[in-house]
Amino acid sequence: MEMDRLELVVCMRRTKKQLHVCPAMVVDSDFYRDWNIKWQKETPQEGLAPLWPPLLPPDQTQLISNSKYCLPSFKFCLQELPEKWNNIKKLAIAVKQHVAPLQANEMTVLRKSCAAFDVEQHRFRERFRKEAPFRFDTKKPYQLLDTKHIEIKQMESAMTSIYESAGLFEVMVPDYKQLKQRRKELCLLKELWDMISLVGACLDDWQTTKWVDINVENMDLECKKFAREIRNLDKEVRAWDAFSGLDSKVKNMLTALKAVAELQNPSIRERHWNQLMQVTGVRFVMDSDTTLADLLKLNLHNFEDEVRGIVDKAVPEMSMEKVLKELKMTWSTMEFQYEPHPRTNIPLLKSDEELIEILEDNQVQLQNLITSKYIAFFLEEVSIWQRKLSTMDSVISLWFEVQHTWSRLESIFIGSEDIRAQLPEDSKRFEGIDVDFKELAYEAQKTPNVVEATNKPGLSQQLEDIQSRLSLCEKALAEYLDMKRLAFPRFYFVSSADLLDILSNGTNPQLVQRHLSKLFDNLARMKFQLDSEQKPTKVGLGMYSREEEYVSFSEPCDCSGQVREKSLSIKTVRWSLLPCPSCEISCQDVAELHCSPLIHEKSWKSMRATVRDEMTEAVMAYEEKPREQWLFDYPGQEALFFSLRVNQPISLGGSLLHPDLVDNRGWDCLCQGGGRLRECDEGISQEASDPAEHPRYHADRAALQGRQTGIMTICTIDVHARDVVAKMITQKVDNAQAFIWLSQLRHRWSDEERHCFANICDAQFLYSYEYLGNTPRLVITPLTDRCYITLTQSLHLTMSGAPAGPAGTGKTETTKDLGRALGIMVYVFNCSEQMDYKSCGNIYKGLSQTGAWGCFDEFNRISVEVLSVVAVQVKSVQDAIREKKKSFNFLGEDINLVPSVGIFITMNPGYAGRTELPENLKALFRGVQVRFCDLAEIVFWNIQARLHVLGEFTCIGDSQTCSQEMRVLQSLLACRFRPCAMVVPDFELICEIMLVAEGFIGARALARKFITLYQLCKELLSTQDHYDWGLRAIKSVLVVAGSLKRDDPERPEDQVLMRSLRDFNIPKIVTDDVPVFMGLIGDLFPALDVPRKRDLNFESFVRQAVLDLRLQAEDNFVLKVVKLEELLTVRHSVFVVGDAGTGKSQVMRSLNKTYQIMKRRPVWTDLNPKAVTNDELFGIINPATREWKDGLFSSIMRELANITHDGPKWMVLDGDIDPMWIESLNTVMDDNKVLTLASNERIPLNPTMRLVFEISHLRTATPATVSRAGILYINPSDLGWNPPVSSWIDRREIQSERANLTILFDKYLPICLDTLRTRYHLMSDCITRGEGVGTPATVQPSCAALGCAAHDLLAPGSPEHHWLKLRETTG
């Protein structure tokens, strides 16, 4: 076969040589060569026959045959080739037979040689396994490898010879795998020992590295590389000891390097090395010469856990060491700061919030350290510091307590001779305290370091001793204050601090009189006689009200002398239940009241005597003087109650009533009086609207302005009297016992007893002669009359009143107005969660001894636990009144009782933070409790009168004491029973009466338009949280209307009212509602277009202020500032409402700046009420010690109230409205204008003080809160984007920047805003309409971002170049 192929190849080569002369055939020959090779691989070569057909296809053969080139040999060879091939095969068979014997002998010898070589290779295998360097501890491994390489090479030569011979004789030879395996193992050993040598050399080099130079990271990477290479070796070597040794060496090195890396931790100290040496049992010196070899001698790979434990312990120990080091550094430089005592210049420890904060933080740190399981080494040091800081904390706290108490008591026991005389023993005790404390203070100043100063031996014991002695002084002082409160019960309504100030300055009336307004209804200050040097003496000549009304005392009040207790016998008339209106008054004397400081004792006595004398004189002069002159000759209080007296024996409108007038002749006079009353009303209204008609005050308009309130109040009473008379005439009342007449609150003067009395239904009250000043009276409506009846009957039946109803229905104001009608002091308390049963008990104790009224607003805000105790306290007071006691036991103490005391509560049901009244308390606060015995006392009344009386009250169920007759009577009258509840008042009537009081002639028609507008606004305008169309809003607009009418008396009344309605309401209306509101105004006041009243001088100041603040003085912005000023003139509480970024703060800042320009000395204090708790905001009483901790708001309000100048004072509360804290400001925000605290302190809101709330919405505010404040709503579209952008551009320093920025904004911003408005949906809550796009809140972030970019792009040196870059960036 091989020969055949050889001959074929020769023939093919010859053919190709002959074909090379034809260029066209070269390509064909190449093609067929490739094709032929492929065919040879795929076709079996058994003979020549299959080869030739595909060699040259017929067409190619024909082509060659037809070619002009001559190819004779190629064809000849092809024809002779089969014959030659057969001859050769025959010759081969013959030769094979000839050499067969020789071949057999050679094959026998060859098989023996193969067997012997096989035995030799097995012996070599055993010898190789013993002598080859398989063990890791082999010495000179490379020599052994060379020796074995030579031996294997020799054997491989012999094996090659055998293989060649076997191939010639076709003898089967064994594979000799053992020798081949030895060759493979030799190669693997060589590779393994190369790796061992490399690793060993590297590790030996590392061991000489110094400790400080060890780079564990690089070594670890190199070892991991070695480990990867070792793992990549042939699997056969893994069973060898050399491989195991190498692998263990590398792994141990990796483990040791981990330990070394951990030992390189900076937290390792010498003590940790000693611990490591102790664990490993190897000792060495750890210094800069220590090498890695020294560490490897520790066999760290065998103590990995121990090393990790030492390091894990060292790390927290290092942090402890760092904390202790910082602790030492901090307290080594921490020193006390001192400030001198104002009176004695004693160095007092100054409160340092930073020191206290650091102390608390360090104590927490030490507490965390002491709980660590690694504290063992630092335990002693940490314990020492713990003791030091603990002592420091206790000493500082104790020091401040002692210092505070000493500072408070020093001015009392040392600076007040009056109290020293009253408390001699305690004053002497305090002198010793004073000496000891001063010694400690001076000694502490010599040691400024805090740690050293507070850790002096015995210091804590000294402070505790001083504190215990101070507690005795405080206890004695508290008992002394309680004694003074018992002597002068009105002191229950001032704080202990104010009472101490009163007592300390008792000999200086000028300093004490600032507290008069807290003790009396409207006594602000006194006028004192001047000596020859024009200095005030201690002789009081008269009193001033808050309205600056002056009333001279009947007799000069001598306020000289020391503070002492002095008996003052005062006739006190109890409230008697008369069997009939004609019965005489039953009067009883009560025990003498021991009054406290002389100034209050004598001022109280002089006040009541003066009011009574003035009233007596006014009664006598009423018929002698013209009414106009008489009104201005006497104080407003007297003019109020006797202004309606006519020449007939009946006084209209509730004034002097002749009780025997029951015939028709008297009622004819009464009807005639109705006409005279209308004439009187018109005259008074004319006086109020045009005071210049009075010649007496023609040259003194300021004096007339002071009487304006009184005249308006008289107008209010006159209108009510007119309505009552008209109603009586309409109903043809012909009997003095008619209920419509008896249900009116009527005042009469008794010439025999020289007292004023008030009658209503079957109840009669003695006038209390509290000086009320020139205060306004509540508009009297049928609802007011019903409330008067209910409250007076509850008092008549020894009950308490509880007006309840929605916000703005006049619950509190009606109670106050009733008290003023009776001349009684009414204390209003805003109840809160901070009030406990003891503070409530002190209030009831003061009310019981003074006979005053207490009105507890939002009573159900007190916790239900306290209310349960309060019910017992109220019941004890009522039981004492019912039993006609002169004194009774209250809270374990016997106190005097003045039966005129009244307790009233007002509640808004369903609001947040309200609790349900306990059942025992509900029973005490009901409108009236009708009992059969009550009706039996009125034996002279006829059935009709009984029906009228009972028809106005609530009858409380069927009691067991009611007889069958009473139950039948109740069932007959059930349809006419009215609950004791405050409902929505008659707005139109109130509006009409107030318009009359303000001087409007066409009051009825204007009132109808007014109320119609508000009703339509409530129905047609959108629902907004800040909209208020209630009574308080109506009153504010009417006050504005009256002011506008007095300023422009010639303008028609409808124009005045239209202007006030438009200008006062527009600031609170949202943009979408303005067209609707203006449409309503136009419909109600057609063809009226009254320009807005402007103060151009004030607006010029506003524009100047806006420019000074680097803002834009645009008309809309200036208008908002002006509206805020107008709103603050009418309302003392204002909500500035608007979304974030609409300019609320800037409006307030602009107005404040305007005040500064006008030299009005404004004061601004702001706080975030949501940043603190309610207790931190308003203060809290410590239940255990009864110590009062003042709140943030209360302290700020007190500070502003103590500022004497008349500049505007603002308290800005910047934060969201929360009913839990703003409800505590109800009495501040309404007409009471007083902050009542749980300590019974009452902080008044002076006329110059304002509450301003900067808020974004009123969603969480109750209606009671919304109605109490004016609203300035800033719409998102009021300013637009241009003012904030212009202000931002104006603040740029470079002129070229400002110019280019203006161009850029004008070019790009309108397009961007238009795109936002039309193509995108904004998800922000503050942008709910299309008008929200383009507001300051939208463009301010863009300005801020552009400011950051401009800071990097702009340079003062080349502004044009950088502005080009900026334009490219923004474009």
Side-chain angles (χ1 to χ4, degrees), residues 276 279-280 300 302-312:
L276 184 61
V279 170
T280 58
L300 296 178
N302 296 328
F303 302 98
E304 184 178 1
D305 294 337
E306 288 78 358
V307 172
R308 185 178 295 107
I310 292 174
V311 175
D312 291 343

Side-chain angles (χ1 to χ4, degrees), residues 522-527 542-552 611 614 631-640 703 705-711 770-775:
N522 203 357
L523 178 56
R525 57 189 176 90
M526 295 173 60
K527 180 180 180 180
M543 54 187 173
Y544 287 93
S545 69
R546 294 190 185 95
E547 299 80 22
E548 293 300 320
E549 180 188 55
Y550 175 71
V551 179
S552 299
V611 173
E614 289 284 344
L631 290 176
F632 288 98
D633 287 346
Y634 294 95
Q637 184 171 353
E638 282 71 23
L640 175 63
Q705 187 66 28
R707 302 292 297 187
Q708 187 72 42
T709 303
I711 295 174
E770 181 81 20
Y771 177 58
L772 304 177
N774 197 17
T775 56

Side-chain angles (χ1 to χ4, degrees), residues 828-985:
V828 179
F829 302 93
N830 190 64
C831 300
S832 63
E833 299 85 353
Q834 285 80 19
M835 296 181 68
D836 58 5
Y837 76 96
K838 288 187 177 180
S839 60
C840 292
N842 287 333
I843 295 175
Y844 299 142
K845 189 184 296 184
L847 295 176
S848 300
Q849 295 180 85
T850 58
W853 287 4
C855 182
F856 297 84
D857 195 16
E858 309 295 345
F859 188 68
N860 49 351
R861 290 186 67 206
I862 303 176
S863 61
V864 66
E865 296 83 1
V866 177
L867 290 177
S868 299
V869 182
V870 167
V872 178
Q873 296 173 346
V874 174
K875 187 175 186 302
S876 65
V877 176
Q878 293 180 352
D879 290 343
I881 299 173
R882 188 176 294 109
E883 296 171 6
K884 302 179 182 179
K885 293 182 178 180
K886 296 181 180 180
S887 63
F888 70 106
N889 186 276
F890 187 81
L891 296 180
E893 186 176 6
D894 290 333
I895 61 174
N896 294 325
L897 175 64
V898 179
S900 61
V901 58
I903 301 173
F904 304 90
I905 62 174
T906 62
M907 296 176 292
N908 287 324
Y911 289 172
R914 306 304 196 273
T915 58
E916 183 70 20
L917 293 185
E919 293 300 327
N920 59 345
L921 194 58
K922 289 181 180 179
L924 302 177
F925 291 96
R926 288 177 178 172
V928 68
Q929 185 175 2
V930 181
R931 296 178 298 179
F932 181 75
C933 57
D934 298 329
L935 295 178
E937 295 177 2
I938 318 176
V939 293
F940 66 96
W941 282 25
N942 54 34
I943 296 298
Q944 183 180 2
R946 292 190 186 184
L947 294 177
H948 279 299
V949 174
L950 293 175
E952 298 297 321
F953 306 134
T954 301
C955 186
I956 309 302
D958 293 334
S959 63
Q960 296 180 358
T961 60
C962 291
S963 63
Q964 182 67 27
E965 178 184 350
M966 185 62 201
R967 288 195 293 270
V968 173
L969 184 61
Q970 289 180 3
S971 62
L972 291 175
L973 301 179
C975 60
R976 299 189 62 187
F977 289 165
R978 299 176 184 176
C980 178
M982 300 297 294
V983 296
V984 178

Side-chain angles (χ1 to χ4, degrees), residues 387-406:
R387 288 193 295 271
K388 286 183 179 180
L389 295 187
S390 178
T391 303
M392 186 192 313
D393 187 17
S394 60
V395 167
I396 290 176
S397 177
L398 193 58
W399 190 292
F400 275 115
E401 291 179 7
V402 170
Q403 178 177 286
H404 174 72
T405 308
W406 175 86

